[in-house]
Amino acid sequence: MLFTIIGYDVENSLERRLAARPAHLARLEILQDQGRLNLAGPFPIVSGDAAPQGFLGSLIVADFESLAAARAWADADPYMVSGVYAKVDIFAFKKVFPSQ
């Protein structure tokens, strides 16, 4: 089942975000290689390239077997562990468009 993972950055998170980014991307690449990642990316504070203004948070849409599995994955994410995210919301998601 698809779940959205929405992470909300703490203020002035850019330095922590950049330090944790390689490990964060490596976990996303695993989901992608498994065919479970639908999309992922950050919410820039300003449109376009966010540096040096930073980010408000991130969105991940991926396939997990349960809400508990999605929560466990999100809780172990380097952005959560390193204090980039103040909190993470997770919701079940039903993809309608684009159609398969």
Side-chain angles (χ1 to χ4, degrees):
M1 171 173 225
L2 291 178
F3 290 89
T4 62
I5 298 172
I6 304 169
Y8 303 87
D9 281 29
V10 298
E11 285 191 44
N12 302 312
S13 64
L14 187 58
E15 186 175 318
R16 282 187 235 175
R17 182 180 266 271
L18 292 174
R21 188 170 190 262
H24 171 75
L25 294 180
R27 293 181 85 236
L28 290 171
E29 287 174 3
I30 292 169
L31 288 179
Q32 180 173 272
D33 291 347
Q34 294 171 343
R36 297 171 47 203
L37 183 63
N38 280 255
L39 65 93
F43 302 121
I45 290 175
V46 298
S47 61
D49 187 10
Q53 291 83 6
F55 299 90
L56 299 170
S58 303
L59 170 69
I60 298 166
V61 179
D63 187 19
F64 293 94
E65 66 182 49
S66 66
L67 177 60
R71 172 59 63 191
W73 188 92
D75 286 347
D77 188 82
Y79 281 179
M80 191 65 187
V81 173
S82 66
V84 173
Y85 292 153
K87 73 172 191 164
V88 172
D89 287 329
I90 302 175
F91 304 101
F93 181 75
K94 181 180 177 185
K95 182 180 175 183
V96 176
F97 288 102
S99 59
Q100 309 288 336

